[in-house]
């Protein structure tokens, strides 16, 4: 039975390009049926990881297993399909011909008309690929990926270059198609995409996983509010001891307190200490993303 | 994690566990058919492989009407066979070199996400090249016949086979160049190179017309052997050991070169 194998099992993946370490000891296990967002800024190592996942790049060290086997084997059997940024299309074929040509490479495939329909491009089947917009070409790549009816679908920044409307349509098409049982892994640097379409978010930065959890868990990392005040010689321990306080950070004369109860911290600071210039800001997923993926290494501790 | 999947979905998923790779590495007549249609739709290819050689024949051949070779055969036939070799070599080279375009566009990378094996891809390219080469030879011969070429049936057949099969050398050459330069417009600089090679191969003018030194060098260029082979049935001269060696050596050079570059390309991962 397939369900005994994880959909994806990466362990200790490392890849360097010259002096640059693109992926740094990355390990990840994805169970069948999960929809996972690989979220991180450009240059975080997402594409390199996906290339290794699909067997398009060889890791310097570490291993890749897809559905219990080697990536090449999963591709040959049509069990994994991918939409990559770099995958090109033949400009002189029509959309329909591209799908029919690719369908012939598989032992079994879904009918061309069906995948065109599901990708939302049935109406442009006769159009030459060279005359299709970037968004239409991307949906064609998606249609090609649907052909083998794969167990695992990998998408690398599938909506890059699309306008807002194009992005919305693409995700609708993916969603229409998303039936239980298919594992989906997509890389994105759009936070809202990860938030809206993934069950699980894996945050990557500098080739490492810095946070991994459900969307709610990732959001919790950034829950509460941030209280900032000017307070020379702040008593860090006393602030940390207040109820609801998650983290206290002192930067010169500034103190930053992450807390679930900002009123209490503010009252304490204004009545018991010499704090002034007090500010209270709320944090959201955007902050969590920034905190976890930017180069500042200070309060990353929250990511566990 | 939820492990209880809906019945329909889990059935579909476990079915797929028995999926197998495609037969013949993904090669199939249907794929070949689509490739052929694609090649035949390319106006540029058709202009250079079918129309241009025919026009050359009408321009250079027709004025020689009525002239005879030493053995009494028509000079017109000699020119027709030479240009059929030219047409076939342009056809096979351009089809082989199409891998350059497909690499430049990123299609070869897209193909690596499918079960198509690299060897099957090459087989498709070579067969498509040879199919277009055959069409090129047939068109040139048809134009020749219409313009008054008369030869015994076995000469038509053997000369045609020689021109066609000899163009396999250039399918390898096209692949070699295609893997060497991943450029979308690779044919724009191969075209002139082919014309020069054809010149040295004696396809446009007999080598005797060239200065002695050039004519001697020309015998070592890749088109010479194929030209001699294709015209032998007409001239009755037979194929010299030198011409045969020329064909074999150049085939080996291009095939080995293409294979090495191809392997480098697929190993790069």
């Amino acid at each position: 039975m397939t369900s005994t194998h994880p959909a994806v099992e990466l362990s200790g993946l490392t890849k360097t390009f010259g002096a640059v370490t693109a992926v740094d000891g990355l390990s990840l296990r994805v169970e069948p049926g999960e929809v996972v967002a690989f979220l991180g800024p450009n240059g975080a190592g997402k594409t390199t990881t996906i290339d290794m996942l699909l067997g398009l790049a060889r890791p310097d060290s570490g291993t890749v297993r897809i559905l219990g086997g080697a990536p090449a084997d999963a591709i040959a059997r049509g069990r994994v399909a991918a939409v990559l940024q770099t995958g090109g299309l033949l400009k002189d074929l029509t959309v329909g011909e591209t799908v029919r040509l690719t369908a012939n490479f598989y032992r079994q495939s879904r009918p061309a008309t069906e995948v065109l329909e599901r990708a939302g491009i049935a109406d442009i089947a006769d159009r030459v690929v060279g005359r299709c917009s970037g968004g239409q070409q991307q949906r064609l790549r998606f249609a090609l990926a649907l052909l083998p009816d794969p167990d695992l679908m990998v998408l690398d920044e599938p909506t890059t270059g699309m306008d807002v409307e194009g992005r919305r349509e693409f995700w609708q098409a993916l969603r229409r198609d998303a039936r239980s049982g298919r594992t989906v892994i997509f890389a994105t640097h759009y936070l809202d995409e990860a938030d809206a379409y993934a069950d699980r978010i894996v945050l990557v930065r500098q080739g490492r996983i810095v946070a991994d959890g459900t969307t709610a868990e990732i959001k919790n990392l950034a829950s509460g509010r941030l209280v900032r005040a000017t307070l020379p010689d702040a008593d860090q321990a006393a602030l940390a001891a207040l109820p609801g306080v998650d983290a206290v950070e002192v930067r010169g004369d500034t103190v930053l307190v992450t807390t679930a109860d900002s009123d209490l911290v503010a009252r304490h600071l204004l009545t018991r200490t010499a704090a002034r210039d007090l500010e209270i800001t709320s944090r959201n997923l955007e902050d969590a993303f920034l905190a976890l993926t930017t180069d500042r290494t200070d309060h990353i501790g929250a990511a566990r | 994690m939820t492990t209880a999947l809906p019945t329909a979905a889990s059935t579909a998923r476990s079915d797929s566990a028995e999926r197998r790779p495609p037969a013949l590495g993904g090669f199939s007549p249907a794929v070949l058919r689509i490739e052929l249609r694609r090649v035949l739709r390319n106006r540029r290819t058709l202009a250079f492989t079918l129309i241009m050689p025919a026009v050359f024949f009408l321009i250079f051949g027709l004025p020689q009407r009525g002239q005879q070779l030493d053995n009494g055969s028509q000079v017109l036939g000699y020119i027709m066979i030479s240009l059929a070799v030219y047409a076939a070599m342009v056809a096979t080279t351009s089809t082989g070199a199409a891998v350059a375009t497909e690499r430049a566009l990123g299609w070869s990378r897209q193909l690596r996400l499918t079960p198509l094996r690299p060897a099957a891809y090459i087989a498709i390219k070579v067969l498509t090249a040879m199919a277009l080469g055959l069409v090129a030879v047939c068109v040139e011969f048809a134009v020749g016949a219409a313009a008054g070429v008369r030869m015994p049936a076995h000469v038509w057949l053997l000369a045609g086979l020689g021109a066609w099969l000899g163009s396999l050398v250039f399918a390898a050459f096209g692949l070699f160049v295609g893997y060497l330069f991943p450029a979308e417009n690779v044919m724009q600089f191969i075209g002139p190179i082919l014309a020069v090679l054809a010149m040295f191969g004696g396809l446009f003018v007999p080598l005797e017309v060239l200065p002695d030194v050039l004519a001697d060098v020309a015998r070592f260029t890749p088109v010479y052997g194929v030209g001699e082979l294709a015209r032998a049935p007409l001239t009755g001269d037979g194929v010299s050991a030198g011409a045969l060696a020329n064909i074999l050596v150049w085939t080996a050079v291009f095939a080995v070169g293409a294979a090495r570059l191809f392997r480098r390309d697929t190993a790069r991962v």
Side-chain angles (χ1 to χ4, degrees):
Chain A
M1 246 329 261
T2 30
S3 55
T4 55
H5 296 294
V8 170
E9 206 171 12
L10 308 177
S11 57
L13 277 194
T14 300
K15 179 83 179 173
T16 55
F17 297 103
V20 182
T21 301
V23 176
D24 190 3
L26 189 144
S27 296
L28 179 70
R29 186 185 164 106
V30 176
E31 299 301 331
E34 282 191 290
V35 177
V36 180
F38 221 50
L39 179 65
N42 288 327
K46 303 189 296 288
T47 298
T48 309
T49 304
I50 284 180
D51 281 355
M52 289 189 284
L53 169 69
L54 294 168
L56 298 178
R58 208 188 317 253
D60 295 339
S61 62
T63 56
V64 178
R65 307 280 289 170
I66 291 187
L67 305 155
D73 188 57
I75 288 177
R77 291 169 195 273
R79 300 192 63 195
V80 57
V83 177
L84 298 186
Q85 290 175 283
T86 47
L89 298 165
L90 295 173
K91 293 178 191 169
D92 56 334
L93 286 182
T94 66
V95 168
E97 282 171 334
T98 307
V99 172
R100 283 193 294 280
L101 177 66
T102 306
N104 276 299
F105 300 148
Y106 294 97
R107 183 174 279 271
Q108 297 158 324
S109 78
R110 306 302 309 166
T113 45
E114 179 191 307
V115 298
L116 287 169
E117 196 70 51
R118 276 155 73 182
I121 45 172
D123 53 326
I124 55 163
D126 294 328
R127 189 173 298 177
V128 173
V129 171
R131 287 201 211 99
C132 290
S133 72
Q136 287 167 335
Q137 293 192 9
Q138 194 67 344
R139 267 182 282 166
L140 172 54
R141 289 191 190 93
F142 179 53
L144 298 179
L146 288 174
L147 277 170
D149 192 17
D151 299 318
L152 171 65
M153 174 81 89
V154 180
L155 307 112
D156 187 11
E157 311 242 347
T159 59
T160 299
M162 290 188 194
D163 54 19
V164 177
E165 178 65 9
R167 284 172 62 188
R168 204 178 55 81
E169 279 177 21
F170 182 85
W171 286 110
Q172 273 178 356
L174 188 75
R175 246 182 161 173
R176 259 200 308 278
D177 175 71
R179 50 199 193 87
S180 34
R182 177 173 294 162
T183 315
V184 178
I185 297 179
F186 66 93
T188 181
H189 58 258
Y190 293 118
L191 197 63
D192 55 334
E193 286 186 349
D195 189 18
Y197 303 104
D199 308 327
R200 174 179 166 197
I201 296 179
V202 174
L203 269 173
V204 283
R205 182 178 67 97
Q206 293 177 347
R208 293 183 198 175
I209 294 175
V210 291
D212 180 354
T214 62
T215 314
E217 281 169 352
I218 297 290
K219 273 182 166 162
N220 279 343
L221 292 178
S223 66
R225 291 181 178 163
L226 183 69
V227 181
R228 173 202 291 264
T230 304
L231 175 62
D233 307 320
D235 182 351
Q236 231 171 312
L239 287 168
L242 292 173
V245 170
D246 289 332
V248 179
E249 192 192 333
V250 176
R251 289 186 206 154
D253 284 351
T254 303
V255 60
L256 298 112
V257 183
T258 310
T259 175
D261 190 346
S262 55
D263 292 342
L264 188 134
V265 173
R267 193 172 297 120
H268 173 85
L269 283 169
L270 292 174
T271 57
R272 306 280 172 85
T273 71
R276 56 194 162 81
D277 297 337
L278 186 132
E279 275 177 16
I280 299 176
T281 46
S282 66
R283 303 180 71 198
N284 51 26
L285 191 54
E286 190 82 39
D287 292 329
F289 178 61
L290 285 175
L292 293 167
T293 59
T294 46
D295 280 342
R296 293 198 340 255
T297 44
D298 30 40
H299 55 275
I300 296 284
R304 286 182 297 239
Chain B
M1 260 330 289
T2 50
T3 42
L5 303 170
T7 325
S10 37
T11 309
R13 298 270 82 88
S14 55
D15 275 350
S16 60
E18 283 105 53
R19 290 189 205 184
R20 282 174 301 151
L24 300 174
F27 175 85
S28 67
V31 171
L32 198 58
R33 219 164 32 237
I34 295 176
E35 276 287 316
L36 264 177
R37 210 168 52 217
R38 192 175 149 226
V39 168
L40 292 175
R41 207 163 48 193
N42 188 328
R43 290 205 194 96
R44 205 188 160 81
T45 305
L46 297 190
F48 281 101
T49 58
L50 305 184
I51 297 170
M52 210 170 81
V55 170
F56 279 179
F57 173 74
L58 297 176
I59 294 173
F60 301 118
L62 286 186
Q64 309 283 328
R65 241 177 143 151
Q67 306 264 16
Q68 290 187 339
L69 298 174
D70 293 344
N71 73 345
S73 306
Q74 290 173 301
V75 169
L76 205 55
Y78 184 95
I79 294 173
M80 178 193 74
I81 297 171
S82 296
L83 288 173
V85 171
Y86 176 66
M89 69 184 259
V90 174
T92 53
T93 303
S94 61
T95 313
V99 299
T101 313
E102 300 187 1
R103 286 175 69 216
L105 288 173
W107 176 248
S108 44
R109 197 173 154 88
Q110 179 73 30
L111 288 179
R112 295 178 55 188
L113 299 172
T114 73
L116 182 69
R117 304 290 308 152
Y121 173 75
I122 293 296
I124 290 165
K125 287 291 165 216
V126 171
L127 288 175
T128 309
M130 293 310 286
L132 187 67
L134 184 61
V135 173
V137 170
C138 290
V139 167
E140 191 67 20
F141 274 21
V143 171
V149 174
R150 296 292 174 263
M151 305 186 299
H154 75 275
V155 175
W156 281 105
L157 185 70
L158 292 177
L161 276 178
W164 180 50
L165 294 178
S167 68
L168 192 57
V169 182
F170 294 96
F173 174 65
L175 286 170
F176 175 67
V177 176
Y179 278 110
L180 206 54
F181 307 104
E184 230 179 296
N185 55 355
V186 68
M187 268 318 281
Q188 281 172 18
F189 64 91
I190 300 184
I193 292 175
L194 287 182
V196 171
L197 288 179
M199 179 79 166
F200 279 104
L203 297 187
F204 295 155
V205 288
L207 286 188
E208 292 74 45
V209 175
L210 300 177
D212 284 353
V213 182
L214 273 186
D216 285 343
V217 172
R219 282 175 229 285
F220 294 97
T221 60
V223 181
Y224 172 77
V226 181
E228 289 291 290
L229 175 76
R231 286 183 306 237
L234 180 76
T235 59
D237 293 345
V239 185
S240 69
L244 218 52
N246 177 299
I247 296 174
L248 294 177
V249 169
W250 282 110
T251 307
V253 166
F254 293 142
V256 169
R260 291 191 72 139
L261 291 174
F262 165 73
R263 231 173 265 143
R264 192 184 70 184
D265 191 62
T266 47
R268 198 180 45 192
V269 294

